[in-house]
């Protein structure tokens, strides 16, 4: 590669991964420019709750928890059935903790208390007010949630970027790499050629890409929905799949089939496209047979897999008393459906209504006797105080007994994370289809595939991946280009 370059490093994307990578390369003495397609920095990291998943941290120790990187690694690999590359996951687990401590050093603060998610039906969120909490099915808790949300990471890193003098250009969408003799040596953008010794791909995943790309790489998102419907998600608009296209230009090995996080919820296709609140707490989720298949308070990271196991055919069932109790005046997790909204959904056909449980079961295609048994057992368990099947905490629940009865389809309606891109090694080098390092090419975050698997390990998996692997990429580039 020619020494006649404009920059040591060009970073494509100014989200969590891109900023972290740019900063760490600049700390090693690299001349860096960040090219961001949107009119603002932050990407999906800024839109997130900010949960950072890590083990053996100063906050855990301060709150009396003993944890270890070994346990975190075993948990991560076991949850993903050892399908993820072990060396890469070990590096992620090793480096997540110093990345979090680095962010604390930059000014990020985590409330110093143990938080708990409310005893509410599944909601794709963290905890109100932040803190340390169990973000998946792990213990001790590893979800580190700042009160301000994910934007706090962007704020502190932006401050550091400015101090280091890293250039930043907004409204500049990169779609073409310079590839010469098998090496990546810069980009072509808006007709201008920018040459560099390294390029870091950090432009997000495929959540906002074309239906064809999503069907190819995250088919579960479409398999979960009726024909004619498209998955939705809150990812940054920059997640257009540009990283996949550019990685192909460099001959990279593209991986990430169904890797990420699907989002489940009430499927209300005729309702206005805004958040109407959360379903009633005193409901049950049942499968096509009319049987419960999970605790209704299961972690949101776990529920999509359970729904898939049921053939994406699941229902939420509640009664008239729950409809009347539903309260839209609250905030956060207490923000419930308006009782009239439920009736409007019945009128539109989004929610089914019947005078008896058996009639409701028939409308949903379930076995009437099975749904009746399921509801009777739950009502009995509410009296005894113990959920006989799934050990859900039920002291605040009410029986499902007052007609009419209601049912809505519970589906995986979209996804928030879809990590598709070049396969990377433990140092964030992008690899070609023969498994060789592509000189000058690195990837991190959702654009660098391998860390996120088919099983999301809990809240903060994606944020920790972006910030940690961005930092790893920056350290690698600094070491290889500057010997630091």
């Amino acid at each position: 590669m020619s020494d006649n370059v404009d920059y040591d490093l060009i970073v494509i994307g100014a989200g969590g991964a891109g900023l972290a990578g740019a900063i760490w390369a600049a700390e090693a003495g690299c001349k860096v420019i960040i090219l961001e397609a949107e009119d603002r920095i932050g990407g999906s990291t800024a839109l997130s709750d900010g949960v950072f998943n890590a083990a053996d941290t100063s906050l855990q120790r301060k709150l009396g928890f003993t944890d270890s990187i070994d346990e975190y690694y075993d948990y991560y690999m076991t949850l993903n059935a050892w399908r993820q590359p072990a060396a890469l996951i070990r590096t992620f687990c090793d480096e997540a903790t110093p990345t979090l401590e680095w962010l604390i050093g930059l000014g990020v603060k985590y409330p110093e208390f143990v938080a708990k998610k409310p005893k509410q039906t599944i909601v794709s969120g963290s905890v109100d007010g932040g803190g340390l909490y169990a973000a998946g099915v792990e213990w001790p808790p590893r979800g580190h949630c700042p009160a301000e949300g994910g934007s706090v990471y962007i704020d502190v890193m932006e401050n550091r970027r400015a101090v280091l003098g890293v250039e930043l250009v907004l409204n500049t969408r990169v779609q073409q790499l310079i590839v010469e003799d098998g090496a990546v040596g810069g980009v072509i953008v808006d007709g201008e050629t920018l040459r560099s010794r390294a390029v870091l791909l950090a432009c997000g995943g495929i959540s906002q890409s074309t239906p064809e790309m999503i069907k190819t790489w995250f088919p579960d998102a479409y398999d979960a929905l009726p024909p004619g419907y498209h998955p939705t998600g809150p990812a940054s608009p920059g997640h257009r799949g540009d990283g996949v296209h550019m990685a192909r230009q460099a001959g990279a090995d593209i991986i990430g089939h169904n890797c990420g996080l699907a989002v489940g919820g009430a499927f209300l296709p005729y309702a206005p496209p805004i958040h109407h609140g959360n379903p009633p707490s005193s409901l049950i989720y049942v499968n096509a047979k009319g049987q419960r298949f999970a605790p209704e308070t299961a972690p949101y990271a776990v529920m999509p897999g359970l729904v898939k196991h049921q053939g994406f055919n699941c229902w939420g069932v509640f009664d008239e008393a729950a409809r009347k109790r539903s309260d839209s005046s609250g905030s956060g997790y207490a923000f419930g459906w308006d009782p009239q909204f439920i009736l409007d959904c019945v009128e539109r056909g989004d929610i089914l209504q019947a005078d008896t449980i058996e009639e409701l079961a028939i409308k949903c295609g379930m076995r009437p006797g099975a749904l009746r048994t399921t509801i009777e057992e739950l009502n009995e368990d509410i009296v005894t105080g113990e959920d006989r099947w799934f050990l859900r905490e039920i002291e605040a629940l009410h029986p499902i007994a007052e007609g009419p009865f209601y049912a809505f389809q519970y589906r995986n309606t979209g996804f928030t994370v879809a990590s598709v891109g070049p396969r990377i090694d433990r140092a964030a080098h992008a690899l070609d289809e023969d498994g060789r390092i592509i000189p000058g090419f690195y990837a991190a975050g959702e654009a660098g595939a391998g860390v996120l698997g088919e099983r999301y390990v809990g809240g903060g998996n994606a944020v920790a991946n972006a910030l940690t692997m961005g930092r790893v990429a920056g350290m690698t580039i600094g070491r290889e280009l500057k010997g630091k």
Side-chain angles (χ1 to χ4, degrees):
M1 185 66 62
S2 170
D3 291 331
N4 185 23
V5 297
D6 302 293
Y7 297 92
D8 292 312
L9 171 64
I10 295 172
V11 178
I12 304 174
L19 286 170
I23 290 168
W24 277 85
E27 296 277 13
C30 292
K31 181 182 180 182
V32 183
I33 186 172
I34 308 173
L35 304 178
E36 167 57 47
E38 304 307 308
D39 60 1
R40 67 191 67 186
I41 65 172
S44 289
T45 299
L47 300 177
S48 73
D49 286 352
V51 183
F52 192 111
N53 208 284
D56 193 23
T57 68
S58 59
L59 180 60
Q60 284 180 312
R61 292 190 292 273
K62 186 173 291 186
L63 295 176
F65 292 103
T66 300
D67 200 0
S68 74
I69 305 300
D70 288 342
E71 291 174 352
Y72 187 33
Y73 168 73
D74 287 342
Y75 166 79
Y76 201 115
M77 293 298 293
T78 301
L79 202 61
N80 277 285
W82 281 78
R83 295 191 182 102
Q84 301 312 108
L88 175 59
I89 300 306
R90 182 69 207 202
T91 294
F92 166 74
C93 293
D94 285 340
E95 295 297 337
T97 303
T99 300
L100 182 137
E101 303 298 347
W102 167 63
L103 291 164
I104 292 173
L106 290 181
V108 174
K109 298 184 185 304
Y110 298 98
E112 295 180 358
F113 57 79
V114 179
K116 291 186 178 180
K117 295 191 72 171
K119 299 168 186 178
Q120 170 65 284
T121 51
I122 298 143
V123 177
S124 297
S126 53
V127 288
D128 288 333
L132 179 70
Y133 77 108
V137 293
E138 86 279 7
W139 195 259
R142 297 186 177 119
H144 299 70
C145 186
E148 305 93 332
S151 62
V152 67
Y153 300 126
I154 304 304
D155 291 342
V156 298
M157 289 193 294
E158 169 60 9
N159 290 339
R160 188 60 186 162
R161 177 201 68 81
V163 169
L164 291 169
V166 173
E167 293 182 52
L168 169 66
V169 183
L170 302 177
N171 298 306
T172 304
R173 183 181 178 186
V174 182
Q175 294 180 276
Q176 186 175 352
L177 299 177
I178 298 173
V179 183
E180 298 172 339
D181 299 325
V184 174
V187 303
I188 299 174
V189 58
D190 296 334
E192 181 180 356
T193 297
L194 292 178
R195 293 192 172 273
S196 63
R197 300 173 66 192
V199 172
L200 171 58
L201 199 65
C203 51
I206 67 167
S207 301
Q208 305 293 344
S209 66
T210 64
E212 292 72 25
M213 180 174 282
I214 295 172
K215 288 176 182 178
T216 298
W217 288 104
F218 211 105
D220 278 1
Y222 275 93
D223 292 345
L225 297 172
Y229 290 94
H230 301 283
T232 59
S236 165
H239 288 237
R240 302 183 185 93
D242 289 346
V244 175
H245 296 303
M246 286 185 279
R248 283 185 175 138
Q249 295 169 15
D253 183 16
I254 310 299
I255 64 171
H257 188 266
N258 273 334
C259 290
L261 175 63
V263 177
F267 181 60
L268 308 173
Y270 302 113
I274 61 173
H275 179 51
H276 299 280
N278 302 312
S281 295
S282 293
L283 60 70
I284 53 172
Y285 290 129
V286 297
N287 58 22
K289 294 181 179 180
Q291 300 169 336
R292 292 173 71 208
F293 60 92
E296 288 73 17
T297 53
Y300 71 84
V302 172
M303 193 65 170
L306 299 174
V307 172
K308 179 180 179 180
H309 188 66
Q310 300 301 323
F312 302 113
N313 188 357
C314 304
W315 297 82
V317 176
F318 59 97
D319 69 353
E320 176 68 4
R323 182 191 75 82
K324 293 176 180 176
R325 285 191 304 269
S326 190
D327 183 7
S328 62
S329 65
S331 61
Y333 294 102
F335 176 32
W337 284 347
D338 184 278
Q340 183 58 47
F341 169 74
I342 296 172
L343 296 179
D344 292 341
C345 285
V346 172
E347 185 68 23
R348 287 190 292 259
D350 282 338
I351 294 179
L352 301 181
Q353 181 192 65
D355 292 333
T356 68
I357 292 171
E358 287 77 10
E359 290 173 355
L360 186 67
I362 292 171
K363 285 187 175 184
C364 297
M366 305 173 195
R367 293 179 60 86
L371 184 60
R372 165 64 69 179
T373 298
T374 297
I375 290 175
E376 287 181 347
E377 287 181 347
L378 178 72
N379 292 344
E380 292 170 2
D381 291 349
I382 289 172
V383 174
T384 62
E386 182 179 23
D387 178 357
R388 73 186 72 186
W389 291 110
F390 298 105
L391 304 179
R392 175 186 178 185
E393 296 184 40
I394 59 176
E395 66 271 14
L397 298 185
H398 300 270
I400 299 175
E402 181 183 339
F405 300 90
Y406 303 88
F408 60 85
Q409 294 184 73
Y410 185 96
R411 291 182 177 267
N412 295 342
T413 55
F415 57 99
T416 60
V417 178
S419 184
V420 179
R423 183 164 69 96
I424 60 173
D425 65 11
R426 62 191 304 170
H429 298 106
L431 306 177
D432 68 15
E433 292 185 309
D434 291 327
R436 296 172 300 197
I437 291 173
I438 300 173
F441 198 29
Y442 308 78
E446 286 185 58
V451 174
L452 300 182
E454 290 191 46
R455 291 291 175 267
Y456 201 71
V457 303
N461 194 179
V463 169
N465 171 46
L467 298 169
T468 299
M469 295 311 298
R471 174 175 166 270
V472 168
M475 289 191 298
T476 299
I477 294 164
R479 183 172 61 251
E480 293 179 352
L481 298 190
K482 300 296 182 180
K484 297 180 180 180

